[in-house]
Amino acid sequence: MSEAMEITTFQLAKGLTIKDFVAANTDVDAWLRKQPGFILRRICEGSDGWVIDMLLWKSAREGQRAASRIMSELPDSPVHATIDQATVDWSIQSCRHGLG
């Protein structure tokens, strides 16, 4: 299995909701759809308010390449202002098992 899961967790900027975050992702979603190796995206919110943003890639290398470009290719995206940047934790790992 060569797929990779990118997982980013963070808190939203003060006063914002998950609806604000999702709405601010319009340009990011369009950009992701054009990235080589992109499979799917899921955004979840825990009862504690933490956001979990998961991306599935065909390979870790493709995910890492996209991650290295997003800030330079979408520097003015409104999504950046919706995230408390001090709380961001990001990783991309190769998948070892899949079901479904």
Side-chain angles (χ1 to χ4, degrees), residues 27-38 57 66 69 73:
D27 59 342
V28 175
D29 286 344
W31 182 84
L32 282 169
R33 285 186 194 102
K34 297 176 187 172
Q35 300 311 301
F38 173 73
W57 297 94
R69 292 191 320 272
E73 293 183 16

Side-chain angles (χ1 to χ4, degrees), residues 1-97:
M1 175 174 280
S2 65
E3 293 175 339
M5 183 68 71
E6 176 181 345
I7 300 175
T8 309
T9 59
F10 54 89
Q11 291 184 329
L12 296 170
K14 191 169 182 104
L16 297 180
T17 68
I18 192 70
K19 287 183 181 182
D20 297 321
F21 175 71
V22 170
N25 269 280
T26 303
D27 59 342
V28 175
D29 286 344
W31 182 84
L32 282 169
R33 285 186 194 102
K34 297 176 187 172
Q35 300 311 301
F38 173 73
I39 299 172
L40 64 82
R41 182 183 198 191
R42 297 291 185 264
I43 297 172
C44 306
E45 182 182 29
S47 60
D48 58 1
W50 281 83
V51 175
I52 304 102
D53 192 349
M54 298 174 288
L55 305 172
L56 184 61
W57 297 94
K58 289 183 181 175
S59 72
R61 187 174 182 183
E62 288 167 312
Q64 290 164 342
R65 285 181 176 167
S68 72
R69 292 191 320 272
I70 192 166
M71 294 301 283
S72 63
E73 293 183 16
L74 295 177
D76 299 323
S77 174
V79 76
H80 304 304
T82 65
I83 299 170
D84 178 348
Q85 298 295 330
T87 66
V88 173
D89 183 46
W90 176 89
S91 70
I92 187 165
Q93 304 296 328
S94 296
C95 296
R96 302 296 183 213
H97 177 73

